Amino acid sequence: MIDVPYLLFLGDAPDPLAAKVAQGIRDWRPAYAKGQLRMPGCKADMRLPDMTPAEAAAAGVRTMVIGVANRGGKISREWLEVLKEALEAGLDLASGLHNLLRDEPELVALAAKLGRRLHDVRVPSVPYPIANGERRSGKRCLAIGTDCSVGKMYTALAMEQAMRKRGMKASFRATGQTGILITGEGVPLDAVIADFMAGSVEWLTPDNDPDHWDLIEGQGSLFHPSYSGVTLALIHGGQPDALVLCHEPTRTHMRGLPGYSLPSLEELRDLGLQMARIVNPDVRVVGISVNTSGMSRDEAQRYLAEVEQRMGLPAVDPFADGAERLAEALDAL
Amino acid sequence: MIDVPYLLFLGDAPDPLAAKVAQGIRDWRPAYAKGQLRMPGCKADMRLPDMTPAEAAAAGVRTMVIGVANRGGKISREWLEVLKEALEAGLDLASGLHNLLRDEPELVALAAKLGRRLHDVRVPSVPYPIANGERRSGKRCLAIGTDCSVGKMYTALAMEQAMRKRGMKASFRATGQTGILITGEGVPLDAVIADFMAGSVEWLTPDNDPDHWDLIEGQGSLFHPSYSGVTLALIHGGQPDALVLCHEPTRTHMRGLPGYSLPSLEELRDLGLQMARIVNPDVRVVGISVNTSGMSRDEAQRYLAEVEQRMGLPAVDPFADGAERLAEALDAL
């Protein structure tokens, strides 16, 4: 678990997109985002107070989060100096980079000397159990997709926000690096050892109040040959009571696989239900989340209306329209 | 890849079952099994020449394989002395134990000094790729089960043997510790990092002759919540042309999960085909392998006849009857 609040390190981001981790924290956990640190040439801006590590520490910040992708697959000398400055100022560091903080001897030595923590959220830090398949109290909703990267994380975060607004008990449960940095906790599922995948999801979504919803971040797709096993572990470890179907209608083939076309929403619904019923016979599909960023607003509205009518389920783009109708659908269950 | 042939270390096996790894090598790769090493009190016997490590080395043995489970979760002092003797005699060591050889400083130091290798087959030693889903030349058959531990490895090994007898090109592809020790190579799938599971199976079953069959060792079950993700990675990484359904009819619930009943063979057939068609639309179910060890011979014969008639597929117990009819079914494809 990462201590909050955060100073968001934007480094020398070449463009705003490179800082999507910082943007996610800014959007979904604004209370965690106390300030930002930009280096010369930084093209990203979270519209937060610019702070040095010392100023951030004085303002109560506990951790500096690497909110930006690095270039060239290494942590540069310039970055290292800023990271060391943060440790000296009393902050922990948290990173989802492929290059691990713990592989930088200078950071390791300094953190050890000062009693600071280095969080590499790509690396599991918990000895997860083997899944036992037992029912847990509380309710769980999982976003599943026709493909990878169709907006499953965004959907779950938007649903959490909409549910809390309605006064419902809801917790986003992160299963990827960005989600873990946003919330400060979670399971880096794609880095978990095969035998413990489903168990790590059970661990992530323990017993809870009967009216509490875990909103589990989805990964991969049952139809994506590279990652389908991860998706099935999420379904069988998560024991969802509710599924939300996620889709990006303009995609011409599965991400990274030119030879594979996307399944239809009906195919996703049927296979998702079939797999989820193995662990929860009462599972329901409650709604559809469509990423319409590749369509005009008119096209998007027509598409959503057509899908809603065809599938008999609320169909929304949570980015454009919010996730209130998906929250309502869960509330009505 | 482990050098062959082997000296089978049976240690102080408390009973024959504890030496099932050694038995597997003896049964399926008799040419690899040059001798055995038994310590005082050993209750297992492979009916092989008893050899000291020095005698084994003189007879051409290259590796001593730990063919027996250890007691108490540690490698005992008595074992260590024999393992060191094997290294001194010029043999490598190979083990599928949870306790790793590489965690024993004495073995590590001695192996380094002598230039010997320590193979811990539970730990992946290859940087597997992410699966790319592309079709490969050659053919592949995968055994899938209604549950874990219903005879999938045995089925694939028996099919390999029967196919080779018929003059077919066939290679058993190990995905578990025992299978890897039997054949000297393979992927320890349950220990692979989630993102690379399907890719490791693609790596294991590369392009081959058009008439060559890989017989992929199955793991887990699509219906077993603890391990279903591993099974789906096998299906999507393996791109099977043929599936064999494996079942143990006397089991009252899924292994380790009292709350879960087994699926029917029909359910396994339908879900297995549905998942496999995502990567190979032409996949077929070719036969059924039943572990009838819990039934009388009469019951078994009646059960197999009933299943064969009901499913319209050859149904055999490969342990009792051999796998010739499953080999025939592949040959007829």
Side-chain angles (χ1 to χ4, degrees):
Chain A
M1 198 150 176
I2 305 170
D3 287 340
V4 296
Y6 297 152
L7 172 64
L8 303 183
F9 174 75
L10 307 183
D12 43 6
D15 52 56
L17 203 63
K20 68 171 189 173
V21 169
Q23 191 66 55
I25 296 169
R26 177 79 170 98
D27 289 346
W28 300 110
R29 292 292 186 271
Y32 293 180
K34 284 280 183 215
Q36 64 184 9
L37 192 160
R38 295 185 290 171
M39 290 166 58
C42 181
K43 300 287 199 307
D45 182 0
M46 298 299 126
R47 301 176 198 285
L48 290 169
D50 287 294
M51 294 180 176
T52 64
E55 289 165 350
V61 162
R62 305 288 302 276
T63 302
M64 184 165 85
V65 173
I66 315 286
V68 60
N70 59 342
R71 310 193 212 192
K74 60 188 288 290
I75 296 177
S76 67
R77 188 72 243 162
E78 292 73 22
W79 278 37
L80 268 183
E81 292 308 322
V82 182
L83 301 184
K84 284 160 66 180
E85 189 188 337
L87 292 173
E88 297 276 10
L91 307 183
D92 292 340
L93 296 176
S95 160
L97 300 179
H98 278 287
N99 320 76
L100 302 184
L101 300 175
R102 71 185 64 170
D103 289 340
E104 299 293 332
E106 290 178 56
L107 296 180
V108 172
L110 190 57
K113 183 180 138 203
L114 300 170
R116 302 273 79 81
R117 294 190 299 165
L118 304 177
H119 297 283
D120 286 303
V121 304
R122 272 186 195 271
V123 183
S125 56
V126 171
Y128 301 115
I130 300 258
N132 64 25
E134 284 170 25
R135 292 290 293 165
R136 308 185 292 285
S137 53
K139 290 177 178 298
R140 284 154 201 90
C141 174
L142 174 67
I144 60 175
T146 51
D147 193 2
C148 301
S149 308
V150 291
K152 294 185 292 287
M153 183 185 81
Y154 195 101
T155 301
L157 283 162
M159 289 180 71
E160 182 202 51
Q161 191 176 68
M163 291 167 78
R164 288 184 177 178
K165 262 194 212 147
R166 294 175 68 86
M168 296 171 71
K169 296 180 193 167
S171 304
F172 172 77
R173 299 298 189 186
T175 62
Q177 285 77 27
T178 304
I180 295 171
L181 289 173
I182 290 175
T183 58
E185 57 189 333
V187 167
L189 188 58
D190 62 9
V192 171
I193 298 285
D195 251 5
F196 303 99
M197 292 186 299
S200 75
V201 181
E202 291 187 348
W203 176 91
L204 180 68
T205 59
D207 280 323
N208 213 317
D209 297 344
D211 58 344
H212 176 276
W213 281 93
D214 280 328
L215 297 154
I216 308 174
E217 181 187 356
Q219 296 293 340
S221 166
L222 286 173
F223 294 87
H224 196 296
S226 311
Y227 308 113
S228 54
V230 181
T231 310
L232 186 52
L234 264 169
I235 294 174
H236 282 173
Q239 295 184 359
D241 302 279
L243 297 172
V244 172
L245 310 182
C246 297
H247 185 50
E248 205 283 69
T250 67
R251 207 163 283 187
T252 54
H253 60 75
M254 298 293 279
R255 187 174 165 89
L257 305 177
Y260 288 84
S261 55
L262 271 70
S264 66
L265 281 163
E266 285 85 347
E267 288 172 301
L268 177 64
R269 173 195 65 200
D270 293 347
L271 189 58
L273 283 173
Q274 197 175 348
M275 297 311 310
R277 280 184 186 130
I278 291 171
V279 288
N280 186 349
D282 300 324
V283 60
R284 302 275 294 276
V285 174
V286 294
I288 297 162
S289 172
V290 182
N291 177 347
T292 64
S293 58
M295 306 168 112
S296 74
R297 200 65 197 127
D298 270 6
E299 279 178 311
Q301 295 296 0
R302 276 197 303 275
Y303 182 83
L304 288 168
E306 186 271 318
V307 165
E308 178 148 343
Q309 204 261 324
R310 194 179 91 217
M311 306 281 292
L313 290 165
V316 303
D317 181 336
F319 186 80
D321 308 316
E324 283 70 22
R325 297 186 59 220
L326 300 176
E328 273 171 42
L330 281 192
D331 211 1
L333 262 198
Chain B
M1 197 150 173
I2 304 169
D3 288 338
V4 296
Y6 297 152
L7 173 64
L8 304 182
F9 175 75
L10 306 183
D12 42 6
D15 52 56
L17 203 62
K20 70 172 187 170
V21 168
Q23 190 67 53
I25 296 169
R26 177 78 170 102
D27 289 346
W28 299 109
R29 291 294 186 268
Y32 293 0
K34 284 281 183 215
Q36 64 184 11
L37 192 161
R38 296 185 290 171
M39 289 166 60
C42 179
K43 299 287 198 308
D45 182 1
M46 298 299 126
R47 299 176 199 285
L48 290 168
D50 287 294
M51 294 180 177
T52 64
E55 289 166 349
V61 163
R62 305 287 301 277
T63 303
M64 184 165 88
V65 173
I66 315 286
V68 60
N70 59 341
R71 310 193 213 192
K74 59 187 290 291
I75 296 177
S76 67
R77 189 72 244 164
E78 293 73 23
W79 277 37
L80 268 182
E81 293 306 322
V82 182
L83 302 184
K84 284 160 65 180
E85 188 187 339
L87 292 173
E88 296 275 12
L91 307 184
D92 292 340
L93 296 177
S95 161
L97 301 179
H98 278 287
N99 321 75
L100 304 184
L101 299 174
R102 70 185 64 170
D103 289 340
E104 299 293 333
E106 290 179 54
L107 296 180
V108 171
L110 190 57
K113 183 179 137 202
L114 300 171
R116 303 274 78 82
R117 295 191 298 166
L118 304 178
H119 298 281
D120 285 304
V121 304
R122 272 186 193 270
V123 182
S125 55
V126 171
Y128 302 115
I130 301 259
N132 64 24
E134 284 170 24
R135 291 289 294 166
R136 308 185 290 286
S137 54
K139 291 176 179 297
R140 284 155 202 90
C141 174
L142 174 67
I144 59 175
T146 51
D147 193 2
C148 300
S149 308
V150 290
K152 294 185 292 289
M153 181 184 82
Y154 195 101
T155 300
L157 283 162
M159 288 180 71
E160 181 201 51
Q161 191 176 67
M163 291 167 77
R164 287 183 176 179
K165 259 191 213 150
R166 293 175 69 85
M168 297 170 72
K169 298 179 191 168
S171 304
F172 171 77
R173 300 297 188 186
T175 62
Q177 287 76 28
T178 304
I180 295 171
L181 289 173
I182 289 174
T183 59
E185 57 190 334
V187 168
L189 188 58
D190 63 9
V192 171
I193 298 286
D195 251 6
F196 303 98
M197 291 186 298
S200 75
V201 181
E202 291 187 349
W203 175 90
L204 180 68
T205 59
D207 280 323
N208 213 316
D209 297 343
D211 58 343
H212 176 275
W213 282 93
D214 280 328
L215 298 154
I216 307 173
E217 180 188 357
Q219 296 292 339
S221 166
L222 286 173
F223 294 87
H224 196 297
S226 310
Y227 308 113
S228 54
V230 181
T231 310
L232 185 52
L234 264 169
I235 294 174
H236 282 173
Q239 294 184 358
D241 302 278
L243 297 172
V244 172
L245 311 181
C246 297
H247 186 50
E248 205 283 69
T250 67
R251 207 163 285 187
T252 54
H253 61 75
M254 298 293 278
R255 187 174 166 89
L257 305 177
Y260 287 85
S261 56
L262 271 70
S264 67
L265 281 163
E266 285 85 347
E267 288 171 301
L268 177 65
R269 174 195 65 200
D270 294 347
L271 189 58
L273 282 173
Q274 196 175 348
M275 297 310 311
R277 281 183 185 132
I278 291 171
V279 288
N280 187 349
D282 300 324
V283 60
R284 301 275 294 276
V285 173
V286 294
I288 297 161
S289 172
V290 182
N291 176 347
T292 65
S293 59
M295 305 169 113
S296 74
R297 200 67 196 126
D298 270 6
E299 279 178 309
Q301 295 297 0
R302 274 197 304 274
Y303 181 84
L304 288 168
E306 186 271 319
V307 165
E308 178 147 345
Q309 205 262 322
R310 195 179 92 216
M311 305 283 292
L313 290 164
V316 302
D317 181 336
F319 186 80
D321 308 317
E324 283 70 22
R325 295 186 60 219
L326 300 176
E328 272 171 42
L330 282 191
D331 210 0
L333 263 197

